[in-house]
Amino acid sequence: MVKTYRKIKCKVSYDGTDYAGYQVQSNALTVQQLIEEAIEQIAKERTTIYASGRTDAGVHARGQVFHFRTACSIPVHKWPYAFVTKLPNDIVVWEAEEVPDDFHARFDVKEKIYRYSLMNRPFPDVFHRKYAWHVPYDLNLEAMRSAANYLIGEHDFTSFCSIKTDVEDKVREIYDISLEEHDEGRVWLTFRGNGFLYNMVRIMTGTLVKVGTGEWEPDRVRDILEACDRTAAGPTAPAQGLTLWEVKY
């Protein structure tokens, strides 16, 4: 009997604290591994899931998207309920829909939104230590906003990606960067763009914090972009402050 396959698109949230990132690795526990194992338990078939992109060790996701093909006859709306029974409580698949066979979770992405969380106050918050970077120095948010304006648009972001980046084309377009101040010292930096390089958001954040503390002037960011040199930019902000917020198609 010929099997009929469907393509399922899912949205998943996860706390990345205890994982070596999203992508499967041979010697460490990852989010992809656990989701694929859950599918195998549910559908009694082995499959590979394809996500909108990778997240590093310690990085979180609110709206990661992945797809997979399955011959399992479970109604699509029941997949999230099935996942709940097979995944740990720090990984939650909360939406599933059937999509055309030509859909691809990575190659069809139109926009990604990342949020980086700072805890800007003298002492750390014990309840946010896994989800924010504690910066105890006063930050000039207006200076950071001015610096962020240099990053908006289409640029070569060689200065703002890890030297381990394995892609040759480092041109990306940033649509918007916003900084929001909240109570108890929380600051959210939200980055919207058509794609991001390895460590790009964390390096942009580390650079903007350098401006916020007054160590660098805002227009230095323009010079850093033009340098196309990773050593010109600021530090890579800690992983725990970063969340893949949303993926748009």
Side-chain angles (χ1 to χ4, degrees), residues 154-166:
E154 188 174 79
H155 305 286
D156 182 328
F157 283 96
T158 297
S159 295
F160 292 91
C161 67
S162 168
I163 59 173
K164 296 179 181 178
T165 301
D166 57 5

Side-chain angles (χ1 to χ4, degrees), residues 223-240:
D223 299 334
I224 293 170
L225 263 177
E226 293 174 354
C228 290
D229 179 358
R230 169 65 187 95
T231 65
T236 303
Q240 77 271 10

Side-chain angles (χ1 to χ4, degrees), residues 66-79:
F66 68 89
H67 80 258
F68 63 98
R69 296 182 76 243
T70 179
C72 181
S73 61
I74 294 175
V76 68
H77 69 277
K78 291 189 176 181
W79 270 99

